[in-house]
Amino acid sequence: MTTVDLWFDPVCPWAWVASRWVLEVEQVRPVQARFRVFSLSLHNEDREVDPWYRQWLDARWGPARVVAAAEQQHGEDVVRDLYTAFGTRIHVDKHLVDDALSRAALADVGLPPSLADAAHRSDLDDVLRKGNRAALEPLGEDLGVPALHIPQDDGTVSAFFGPVVSPAPRGEAAGRLWDGIALLAGTDGFFELKRGRTRKPV
């Protein structure tokens, strides 16, 4: 069994698609995913970004903070299901990112609704900052999410940004994509394979 870390921000549509892919991979390959929270709002806090993206980020601090608070108080085992609860509402149901969203997601997984207050707690940003560093340092570049960390037989971890895929492959197609990614990740000196995006996240 290979345990991989998938870093996500609950509001990132590309991370959402990648997470649904890795859940499919678990069904067809000896892979287990650990879900790790990341904050795009924090990551871009002091960066020059387009005004529309700044406005988008400024309205979306909450979900990552709520997941971080839930993990602090209830352990990492709650992260996977809480992310699914958030992601389904945000990316499938197109729910507004607000306190009601947080309370509904928490209710889905049986966590106290009071955790929704964490959306407005900047003291949790130190926890998120630590997580962001853990996600990005192995990449060797200041990228973002989704980020995937795959352990290698020699004890090292191969980390990269992605996969950026749309829609998420299902069944054996998900497994074949994993096989290719695992092969590339384990190839010493392999850095990049990229093409332009022709569709939005599905």
Side-chain angles (χ1 to χ4, degrees):
M1 181 67 69
T2 299
T3 301
V4 304
D5 291 319
L6 180 72
W7 299 84
F8 68 92
D9 185 312
V11 303
C12 175
W14 295 108
W16 173 250
V17 177
S19 73
R20 300 310 95 179
W21 161 74
V22 83
L23 292 179
E24 290 287 319
V25 173
E26 288 184 338
Q27 305 305 310
V28 295
R29 296 293 186 273
V31 169
Q32 179 73 29
R34 287 184 301 212
F35 289 87
R36 305 294 195 192
V37 67
F38 185 97
S39 172
L40 284 171
S41 296
L42 181 61
H43 178 60
N44 290 283
E45 187 176 28
D46 298 319
R47 297 170 184 266
E48 291 284 339
V49 298
D50 289 338
W52 71 266
Y53 190 48
R54 172 63 58 207
Q55 185 177 15
W56 187 88
L57 288 169
D58 287 349
R60 286 164 174 79
W61 282 87
R65 285 171 171 169
V66 172
V67 174
E71 182 175 11
Q72 274 195 320
Q73 295 184 33
H74 298 276
E76 68 177 34
D77 289 344
V78 304
V79 172
R80 172 189 291 240
D81 290 342
L82 183 55
Y83 176 34
T84 293
F86 266 114
T88 299
R89 283 178 166 76
I90 294 169
H91 304 294
V92 179
D93 300 336
K94 308 301 181 186
H95 195 292
L96 184 67
V97 177
D98 58 10
D99 290 347
L101 165 72
S102 295
R103 288 191 295 270
L106 290 162
D108 277 355
V109 295
L111 290 173
S114 59
L115 282 169
D117 296 340
H120 309 288
R121 285 176 47 198
S122 60
D123 61 294
L124 286 164
D125 295 349
D126 284 341
V127 175
L128 291 169
R129 189 172 286 106
K130 182 178 178 181
N132 281 16
R133 283 197 301 268
L136 298 179
E137 282 176 1
L139 297 180
E141 288 193 38
D142 197 10
L143 297 169
V145 290
L148 192 63
H149 294 191
I150 303 175
Q152 301 299 311
D153 292 339
D154 63 2
T156 62
V157 173
S158 182
F160 58 87
F161 170 73
V164 175
V165 60
S166 179
R170 305 293 184 182
E172 185 57 25
R176 288 194 299 272
L177 177 58
W178 166 260
D179 295 340
I181 287 173
L183 176 63
L184 294 174
T187 301
D188 181 51
F190 177 80
F191 298 110
E192 187 172 358
L193 180 68
K194 189 172 183 178
R195 62 181 171 185
R197 299 177 195 172
T198 60
R199 67 182 70 163
K200 295 180 179 180
V202 178

